[in-house]
Amino acid sequence: NTGTGPAMSDIYDIAVVGGGIMGSGAALRLAEGGMRVVLLEQGDIGQGASGVNAGTLSLQIKRVKLMPYALRGHQEWKRMGAEVDYRETGGYTLAFTDREADLLHERMTMKQEAGAPISFISPNEVAVREPGLCRKVVAASWCPSDGFANSSLTGRYYRHRLKAANIDVREHCPVAEINRDEPGFTLQTSTGPVHARRLLLACGGWLKQAAGMIGLDLPVRARVNTVSVTERGPRLVGSVIGHATGLLTLKQKGNGTVLIGGGWQGLGQPGEGGNRGRVDAESVLPNLRLARYAVPGLKELRIVRSWTGFEANVPDFYPLAGAAPGVEGAFLLGCVRGGYTIGPFISKLMGDFILGRETELPLFDPARDFTKEIQL
């Protein structure tokens, strides 16, 4: 050390910005590959989108092109098992009109062809298996692999694994500025500068702002997904329940509470104060009405709480996963629709890519033309 820069002992092989499933998973893979890793999280590990989503692990709501990633993601969740309260309950997607039935058959047939173990079952069979559902089902699909995990356990699971891997984890450590220098990058944080040879930005809804710090203007937008939970009640359903439009996901947990989601939008954007957005009553009410229509017994239960979380996406709705265009040594990971399911697997792919290994499946080049393909 000449006194003009950081000592070699102060330089990390890579700095990972973002402590959700994807950032934490990539950090673990990189540490396993021999890198000295520092992980920087502006809040608590696993408490952004990774910790506030409904925990649904359904292949029936995954996009066709992402199905191979979702299938492998499911295997990762199975390995986590009881540590995240993983449950493979199976799941039904319902149609209540002929138009919805046509949509259901079209979408699920494509997902079958992509490898998902989905089958079509009769309304009578649905009524026998799930007597708590309404009797106006016209068509339904079934996937035995569907289930859920407890998203509130995400942070505890990854914090334990990061600690065991001797990764330097810094929570409540927002990054205010990123500069290029020797040997790579200096990140100005609330606890002082951090020096690293490489950089991985995996910060969910804040990816656009973070990428701007290294000179990139990414077309990243943030959705504000809403989730609601009921008070505890009697057993109404035993499986994950969805709707052909994708506007409902519903499951009942072991304690009797029912979690209701479906991508209905709240208010706010990352950086506008508050890290999770705000609930919009005009948006959440149709979600709850659809849930009560599907499961009539919900009319006897009160909603205890509704909340929101940010989900980032780009115009073609495929992930960003690869080298940051024009910024040597920097990488991007995020904007994964269904990121809760896919995150544990795509984070491993990202780690392998940075380590120079051949990846099991292709990544998604952040330098691509985002307008070329939009697919279910």
Side-chain angles (χ1 to χ4, degrees):
N1 182 17
T2 63
T4 60
M8 292 298 291
S9 60
D10 294 331
I11 301 171
Y12 293 89
D13 291 316
I14 190 163
V16 178
V17 180
I21 291 172
M22 283 178 263
S24 296
L28 288 166
R29 193 69 159 186
L30 293 165
E32 290 167 6
M35 283 193 174
R36 184 175 176 231
V37 183
V38 59
L39 188 150
L40 309 171
E41 165 56 46
Q42 66 176 347
D44 295 304
I45 295 296
Q47 294 305 302
S50 298
V52 301
N53 68 85
T56 305
L57 300 169
S58 172
L59 297 175
Q60 297 186 77
I61 59 175
K62 298 302 177 284
R63 306 183 73 214
V64 172
K65 187 173 178 179
L66 296 180
M67 192 60 69
Y69 303 82
L71 288 164
R72 288 164 176 79
H74 257 257
Q75 295 305 311
E76 297 294 330
W77 283 104
K78 282 186 180 181
R79 279 190 277 271
M80 296 182 206
E83 292 185 74
V84 292
D85 194 23
Y86 170 78
R87 307 291 178 92
E88 190 174 77
T89 61
Y92 299 92
T93 301
L94 311 176
F96 299 119
T97 68
D98 290 339
R99 182 166 178 252
E100 291 173 1
D102 290 342
L103 181 64
L104 178 75
H105 280 275
E106 178 187 359
R107 290 183 173 179
M108 296 307 167
T109 297
M110 287 192 293
K111 293 172 185 183
Q112 281 179 329
E113 294 169 351
I118 296 170
S119 59
F120 296 100
I121 64 173
S122 70
N124 287 339
E125 192 171 358
V126 174
V128 171
R129 294 186 187 181
E130 287 286 2
L133 295 177
C134 82
R135 294 295 185 266
K136 297 183 179 179
V137 174
V138 173
S141 58
W142 159 255
C143 180
S145 298
D146 287 356
F148 58 89
N150 186 340
S151 64
S152 65
L153 298 177
T154 303
R156 186 174 76 178
Y157 171 82
Y158 276 105
R159 187 181 289 108
H160 172 76
R161 289 199 59 200
L162 292 164
K163 182 179 180 180
N166 293 316
I167 293 170
D168 184 355
V169 176
R170 304 188 188 184
E171 298 178 87
H172 301 280
C173 186
V175 176
E177 186 178 339
I178 303 174
N179 303 116
R180 292 298 308 269
D181 56 19
E182 291 295 334
F185 301 90
T186 296
L187 296 83
Q188 302 298 336
T189 79
S190 58
T191 60
V194 173
H195 308 282
R197 294 181 177 86
R198 301 172 188 84
L199 174 69
L200 171 60
L201 300 180
C203 42
W206 286 262
L207 187 57
K208 182 176 181 66
Q209 291 92 324
M213 296 181 191
I214 58 173
L216 298 179
D217 183 16
L218 298 177
V220 174
R221 302 167 295 195
R223 289 168 54 84
V224 194
N225 293 330
T226 306
V227 181
S228 301
V229 64
T230 71
E231 63 184 335
R232 298 184 183 190
R235 179 56 53 186
L236 299 174
V237 292
S239 309
V240 174
I241 306 300
H243 186 246
T245 61
L247 295 175
L248 175 68
T249 62
L250 180 153
K251 81 281 296 181
Q252 189 165 21
K253 304 188 75 174
N255 64 2
T257 62
V258 180
L259 280 169
I260 302 167
W264 295 77
Q265 295 299 286
L267 304 170
Q269 288 292 319
E272 290 185 355
N275 292 330
R276 296 178 179 173
R278 307 182 306 282
V279 173
D280 179 2
E282 296 301 316
S283 175
V284 75
L285 284 174
N287 186 202
L288 300 179
R289 291 189 188 109
L290 179 56
R292 194 172 75 168
Y293 185 85
V295 184
L298 283 172
K299 67 182 179 181
E300 305 297 334
L301 300 181
R302 295 172 295 181
I303 295 296
V304 174
R305 187 163 68 96
S306 298
W307 65 93
T308 54
F310 295 121
E311 178 190 62
N313 61 76
V314 290
D316 65 3
F317 290 98
Y318 290 121
L320 294 179
V327 187
E328 185 177 356
F331 305 87
L332 305 173
L333 176 60
C335 300
V336 182
R337 295 295 299 274
Y340 189 70
T341 301
I342 296 171
F345 175 69
I346 200 169
S347 62
K348 286 187 171 183
L349 294 184
M350 192 73 237
D352 287 341
F353 179 77
I354 295 171
L355 289 165
R357 301 170 176 169
E358 184 177 354
T359 59
E360 182 181 346
L361 289 175
L363 288 173
F364 296 81
D365 186 2
R368 67 184 181 271
D369 180 352
F370 294 102
T371 65
K372 275 191 174 181
E373 181 182 15
I374 297 178
Q375 180 181 336
L376 289 174

